[in-house]
Amino acid sequence: MKSALTFETIAKCSTTKARVSVLTLPHGPVDTPVFMPVGTQGTMKGMLPDQLEELNCQIMLNNTYHLGLKPGKETLDLVGGAHTFQSWRRNLLTDSGGFQMVSLLKLANITEEGVEFASPHDGSLMMLTPEHSMELQNSIGADIMMQLDDVISSLTTGPRVEEAMWRSIRWLDRCIKAHKNTETQNLFAIIQGGLDIELRRKCVEEMVKRNTPGYAVGGLSGGEEKDVFWRIVTLCTDLLPQTKPIYCMGVGYAEDLVVCSALGVDMYDCVFPTRTARFGNALTMHGTVSLKSGKYANDFGPIEEGCDCSTCKSYTRSFVHLTVTTKETVGCHLVTVHNIAFQLRLMKGIREAIKNDDYPAFIKKFFMNYFGSKEKYPIWAVNALKSVNVDLTQ
């Protein structure tokens, strides 16, 4: 199908499957591997679009389900799409809305037609179909749109997993047919198949025939064993075309980003960095700092030494501690700015290490700093990295 992007790999790690690429989209270039912050309802909670730009965030997420409810398709059509509506000059990615249907709503009945759900406003039955999802995402105007897929828990087993996989393939065909803005918007397929290697293999084979501009690995980060998670990720990156961007949905913990980049993933998103900020938890290269703790009451250093975000340059741990313990909104704002800056700084470090072809050394240094001792390294991460020739035990 038609593509409104270019994807050029500019460096490869000689040890792992990691790579650095430039993904050029209608609203500018994106350096990958990239972490994409999640602005669910057209805004990053506690941050202005200008502040995201200052951090050099090149792409963020919006949520189709939420924007479809408010402000709604009619308003988005009148204003000319979500970029204009939220004053965001850079790239947007929208999910299809299917995940929210299943995760947020009490009643979600999935049929071949689409997802039937009870309206959160008045309880009346509504239907999200592949066609409706495309119509909403075309109105939003996101640079990357995700297909509507049949979402099931990663812990689901039995015939339902295969049913969801084949239905997602059929729904992709309907999305391709309904997609109206191929000149300016890119539709990504979502690889399903649960934790079944053969189903994942079959799904990749079918999705690749559709030749979408990029591919996502879906249906993970739902509570499955991490030792199974990484095996599905590396299988998909082995099988998917190397000329297209690969997006691992719902991944955002620092160690996951480091490991999955070594496994060949290009794009990530997760609500974790911003959600945990609202509880006063700051992300650092030495692990999470809980700023609600009383031990920071008289700590006049920055959240993280060496961080150049506006929070760390201007405010102390003591001040942030006060604002998060008294539930001042400014506290949430300050930690959110830092956490987004941390994620983007981590990804920049990953890219620089791959370009310099010393990613294995970067990985080892990251794990030692982050976990403090080899005994604390997650076994799944040790196993995953060993599969791409990085031995954390040495």
Side-chain angles (χ1 to χ4, degrees), residues 280-291:
N281 298 316
L283 308 176
T284 79
M285 289 294 181
H286 292 88
T288 301
V289 174
S290 178
L291 290 161

Side-chain angles (χ1 to χ4, degrees), residues 82-83 150 194 270 322 340 350:
H83 286 89
D150 185 352
C270 190
L322 174 70
I340 297 292
I350 290 172

Side-chain angles (χ1 to χ4, degrees), residues 10-28:
I10 57 173
K12 288 183 179 179
C13 173
S14 61
T15 305
T16 71
K17 294 194 282 178
R19 59 185 182 174
V20 172
S21 306
V22 178
L23 169 63
T24 305
L25 294 163
H27 285 84

Side-chain angles (χ1 to χ4, degrees), residues 126-147:
M126 302 171 73
M127 175 74 80
L128 182 72
T129 63
E131 292 77 13
H132 186 217
S133 176
M134 284 296 99
E135 188 182 19
L136 284 173
Q137 293 190 78
N138 282 156
S139 290
I140 291 167
D143 302 81
I144 297 173
M145 315 182 298
M146 304 310 298
Q147 74 156 108

Side-chain angles (χ1 to χ4, degrees), residues 27 59 66 90 97 116 127 136 207 218 222 239 286 306 319 323-324 359 368 381 384:
H27 285 84
I59 181 168
H66 289 291
R90 296 189 177 181
E116 186 180 51
M127 175 74 80
L136 284 173
M207 295 296 199
L239 297 175
H286 292 88
F319 178 74
T323 57
V324 297
Y359 192 45
M368 183 52 74

Side-chain angles (χ1 to χ4, degrees), residues 258-272:
V258 171
V259 172
C260 289
S261 294
L263 299 179
V265 175
D266 304 299
M267 303 166 68
Y268 310 92
D269 82 284
C270 190
V271 296
F272 167 71

Side-chain angles (χ1 to χ4, degrees), residues 351-381:
R351 292 192 301 269
E352 291 300 321
I354 298 166
K355 281 186 205 167
N356 296 332
D357 204 15
D358 59 4
Y359 192 45
F362 175 94
I363 294 170
K364 289 179 178 179
K365 184 180 178 185
F366 167 82
F367 269 82
M368 183 52 74
N369 287 340
Y370 200 73
F371 291 100
S373 72
K374 290 182 180 179
E375 292 71 38
K376 293 180 181 174
Y377 292 177
I379 294 296
W380 74 268

